[in-house]
Structures are given as C-alpha cells and as structure tokens.
Amino acid sequence: MRRFLLGFLVLVMLSAYLGYHELNLPVAPRAETFVEVAPGMGTRAIGAMLAEDGVVRSRYLFDFWHIVGGGTLKAGEYRFAEPATLPLVYSRIVRGDVYTRTVTIPEGFNLFDIAQAVEDAQLGSKESVLAAASSNVGLIADLDPGAKNLEGYLFPDTYRFPRRLPPSQILSAMVKRFRQSSATIGLQSDYHRIVTLASLVEKETPQAEDRPLVASVLANRLAREMPLMTDPTVIYAALLEKSYRGTIYQSDLKRDSAYNTYRHTGLPPGPICSPGIASLTAAMHPADSHFLYFVADAGASGHSRFASTLEEHERNVSAYRRGLKDAQGAH
C-alpha cells in the first residue's frame, strides 16, 4: 500500500511537472498569424483555433488554464508572431490586446489626405473612406445640418484602429475626438462658420501665433464684403473636380466654383480641411486688427506680413518675391 501511494505521488508530481513545463514552454507560430476571436465564441473553440494555428501547443491545456486563471476572453483580432507561453497568450486575450494599426492625421489634412492615410495604414481603400465620409454625414447633423460630408470634423490626431474596423467607425472615432476637443475650448454653436473659417486659417499659416491675425484679416474682409482671395480654396475646388496639377493656374482662378474665393465673396460652402485647436480658437477669437491683407514671409521664420492698405501689401509682396529670388540664388 505504501509503495502504491508513493508511486501515485510520484505520478502526480511528474504530471504536474510536465504540465508546468508544457504551459511555460514558448510556442512560435510557423509565420505571422492573425486569429479572429468572434463575439460569443466559447473557450474550447478559441483553444482549438489557437492550437490549429500553432499559437498554443494544446487546446486541452488552454481549457485547463482557463479554469486556473479565470477571466473573460475578449473578442477581436490578435496577431501572433513571436514565441510565447500559453499563459502569456491567454493573458493577452483576457486583456483584449487586439491588433491595431496607427493612423496619424496632421492638422490641415483634407478628406482626400485622410482617406489616403487610412489606405496607407491598410485599414480600407481610399474610395471606401471618401464614400463613408458622405454617407455618414448624420454623425454631425446636430453640429452642421447642411454639411454634405464630414470635411472639417475629422479631428487631427494619432489613432489606433483594429484592422477590420469599417470606415464608418473609423470616421466616427475622429468625429468623436472633434466633439471632445472643441468642447475644451468652448465651441458650442455656429460650428459651420467657425470650422470653415478655421480651416482657411489652418491652410494659410503654419505658425500658431499668426493664426489670430490671419483670422482677423479674413473676418475684416468678410465684414467689408471683400472676396477672401485665398489660394487654398482654389486648390480645394480643383481637388473636388480631380483637376489639381500641383500648382495654381489662371484657369483655376477663373473656375466658377463656389469654393473659388477669388470669384465669390463670403466663406466657401464648407471647410476645406481639418483644423487643429489653435486654428479653431483663432476663428472663435480673431485678433482685433485693421489688417486686410497678408503674405507669407519668404524667410526661414515662416511667419506672415500683414497690411491694412493695398499699397503696403504690395510692398510686402515685393519683399516676399525678392526673398524667394534670394533663397533660390543661394541654392
């Protein structure tokens, strides 16, 4: 009897050792492997799938570890490429450490840029994103009832999305970020005008400290019913017609588009890009100035030169052209 008990104890200890060894022996899948855990999928089915794909050694050990470790297994897509022990694999699924791709949307990106960025991140085609931006305009119906698409309301930021997320949900996350960020600066009404004006400011200067002055120029011209005459709106009109050639031509300036602010007074029909916080703030609170004109400084500062009269503006333009010529000569 004593020999039997001793043998049984040895067997239990050996099984425990082998089980521990199996649990903590890293397993490497044959290649980069993606595993999709569907909502409502049972533990046994998940373990079988992981074992079949070579992520864990045994479905039964996976079931055993579920009993030992507990926790809820989260749905989503998981990427496995490096050797990992079964407890490590299990903990990743309990944490919901799903595979995501990063998309960075800089300030000033328009819908076309954003759609390209999403496609470059392999999260969807450019065409599907552009289509979703029009078909999901209801996301901003309370902010901008007349909007034709989501232009201007996709907040510039860095996002992480699961690989199979539909474009509509990607854009919804960006709109949600816009709502959160705009609320921090007190933007609660007049969204269409503010966001449209901010998008022009965003495109006109890269310098945050110049933006209130740029906004003041645009506001002053609007108050005097002067054409805004901003190049970015002309470029946007060409983009909409798929005719932009990398620079502005006379034919672009003559284009009878509502976005052509050389031919039409007032703001364009809607935003032309996604403005950041600095531009939104500038549009809400333009500087108090009498400026009606501005031109970029050709120097390294990147700032703008402002003027109240056409004569002063023409001098600034001449200085800008001389600066460009000198810069080209230096190279």
Side-chain angles (χ1 to χ4, degrees):
M1 185 67 177
R2 183 179 296 176
R3 292 179 63 185
F4 174 78
L5 290 174
L6 182 61
F8 179 75
L9 182 60
V10 170
L11 182 61
V12 169
M13 293 177 64
L14 180 60
S15 298
Y17 170 77
L18 291 175
Y20 177 83
H21 180 73
E22 289 291 307
L23 283 170
N24 290 279
L25 186 65
V27 175
R30 292 178 294 275
E32 181 183 44
T33 301
F34 293 92
V35 175
E36 184 80 31
V37 176
M41 198 172 191
T43 304
R44 291 184 179 180
I46 296 172
M49 180 172 57
L50 292 171
E52 183 179 348
D53 290 339
V55 176
V56 299
R57 184 167 283 100
S58 166
R59 58 180 292 183
Y60 302 107
L61 277 175
F62 190 85
D63 290 343
F64 168 75
W65 193 250
H66 175 66
I67 296 172
V68 173
T72 302
L73 301 176
K74 308 294 194 306
E77 184 183 44
Y78 296 85
R79 174 184 176 272
F80 300 97
E82 306 298 330
T85 64
L86 188 149
L88 182 59
V89 170
Y90 187 86
S91 68
R92 283 189 57 194
I93 302 176
V94 168
R95 293 196 314 271
D97 183 19
V98 298
Y99 178 68
T100 59
R101 292 185 181 274
T102 300
V103 182
T104 298
I105 308 301
E107 296 174 349
F109 259 30
N110 58 39
L111 272 181
F112 306 101
D113 301 321
I114 293 171
Q116 187 63 59
V118 172
E119 181 175 275
D120 291 344
Q122 299 178 8
L123 286 165
S125 69
K126 182 177 181 178
E127 291 73 20
S128 68
V129 176
L130 290 173
S134 296
S135 61
N136 289 274
V137 72
L139 290 170
I140 58 169
D142 59 320
L143 307 182
D144 192 344
K148 305 300 183 188
N149 54 45
L150 299 178
E151 185 72 271
Y153 297 92
L154 305 175
F155 197 73
D157 206 340
T158 295
Y159 300 87
R160 296 187 66 87
F161 296 116
R163 191 170 57 149
R164 301 185 190 281
L165 197 67
S168 59
Q169 293 186 37
I170 291 175
L171 300 183
S172 178
M174 295 180 181
V175 170
K176 181 178 180 180
R177 193 71 53 86
F178 169 84
R179 288 178 180 273
Q180 294 169 337
S181 300
S182 61
T184 65
I185 58 172
L187 179 54
Q188 298 177 338
S189 62
D190 204 11
Y191 288 93
H192 177 81
R193 184 184 68 83
I194 294 296
V195 176
T196 301
L197 181 59
S199 72
L200 304 187
V201 173
E202 188 69 60
K203 281 295 191 181
E204 285 290 2
T205 177
Q207 300 296 331
E209 54 267 41
D210 282 358
R211 288 169 185 163
L213 282 173
V214 170
S216 76
V217 170
L218 299 176
N220 291 340
R221 292 180 73 90
L222 288 170
R224 290 165 175 75
E225 298 186 352
M226 298 171 64
L228 295 181
M229 302 177 72
T230 62
D231 290 352
T233 61
V234 175
I235 293 172
Y236 193 77
L239 287 171
L240 290 176
E241 296 184 11
K242 300 180 180 180
S243 62
Y244 184 54
R245 293 163 286 177
T247 190
I248 296 176
Y249 293 87
Q250 281 297 318
S251 57
D252 296 317
L253 295 175
K254 295 177 181 178
R255 179 178 282 107
D256 189 20
S257 165
Y259 284 90
N260 186 348
T261 54
Y262 280 83
R263 295 196 61 174
H264 299 280
T265 58
L267 287 169
I272 62 171
C273 72
S274 291
I277 285 294
S279 293
L280 287 168
T281 302
M284 293 172 64
H285 308 288
D288 184 10
S289 83
H290 298 289
F291 295 137
L292 293 172
Y293 308 91
F294 66 92
V295 64
D297 192 327
S301 71
H303 289 282
S304 299
R305 298 187 181 193
F306 298 88
S308 300
T309 66
L310 182 58
E311 292 77 14
E312 184 182 1
H313 176 61
E314 288 174 345
R315 290 196 295 271
N316 289 340
V317 170
S318 296
Y320 168 74
R321 290 172 176 166
R322 286 195 303 271
L324 278 184
K325 187 176 179 180
D326 292 343
Q328 291 168 355
H331 293 289

